[in-house]
Amino acid sequence: MEYSVKIKETTRELTKREQILFCDITNTNKLNDIEVGNPIRIKPVDYAILDVHNEYLKDRQDFEQYVIIDDTGARYVTGSQSFFNAFKNIWGQMDGEPFEIDVYKIPSKNYKDKFIITCSIV
């Protein structure tokens, strides 16, 4: 198996079509591409954690991707653990109540000239 994607966790039971949609991240908005100082606003309604295996990569062949779907149906993806930790904390505390987040990129405190992605509730 050279490349595979499996859903590890979702917010709810998904239809077959939704499972395929979540796993296909080729046509999603990449949160890693946002610009420093230019946050984006998302109103999340679903998320999924994907287990990805890619034998074509040299360093890390197994990793997670996080897919967020907003209220318009737009999909966002990142592998940023810092983003997902902040997002999951907000999601859990909101307990199903609608909310919006700003997603932004900030300088890393640990690595010079590197950035992290995170989010805050609006």
Side-chain angles (χ1 to χ4, degrees):
M1 185 178 322
E2 296 172 349
Y3 181 83
S4 65
V5 179
K6 295 178 184 170
I7 296 174
K8 179 178 180 179
E9 178 183 321
T10 63
T11 52
R12 60 183 173 79
E13 190 71 30
L14 301 176
T15 66
K16 297 292 183 189
R17 181 184 179 283
E18 290 172 325
Q19 290 175 29
I20 294 167
L21 185 66
F22 266 108
C23 288
D24 181 7
I25 58 175
T26 55
N27 192 24
T28 58
N29 299 294
K30 313 285 190 267
L31 293 180
N32 295 22
D33 293 343
I34 63 175
E35 297 176 16
V36 174
N38 191 19
I40 61 169
R41 186 158 291 171
I42 301 173
K43 187 174 183 179
V45 294
D46 282 320
Y47 76 83
I49 301 173
L50 306 178
D51 278 331
V52 180
H53 175 78
N54 187 346
E55 290 182 13
Y56 297 110
L57 300 177
K58 293 180 183 177
D59 298 343
R60 193 175 55 139
Q61 294 183 344
D62 296 299
F63 55 94
E64 290 182 341
Q65 291 282 280
Y66 310 104
V67 179
I68 312 297
I69 296 185
D70 76 4
D71 64 333
T72 68
R75 296 180 299 142
Y76 300 86
V77 66
T78 185
S80 170
Q81 189 66 53
S82 59
F83 164 79
F84 195 68
N85 288 345
F87 172 78
K88 189 83 182 268
N89 183 48
I90 295 167
W91 182 276
Q93 290 186 49
M94 293 307 292
D95 197 29
E97 190 176 313
F99 65 97
E100 291 181 323
I101 56 172
D102 278 346
V103 181
Y104 48 93
K105 192 180 281 189
I106 59 173
S108 171
K109 294 178 183 176
N110 299 324
Y111 300 101
K112 185 178 175 158
D113 299 325
K114 298 286 184 182
F115 298 89
I116 64 167
I117 300 168
T118 190
C119 64
S120 299
I121 195 164
V122 179

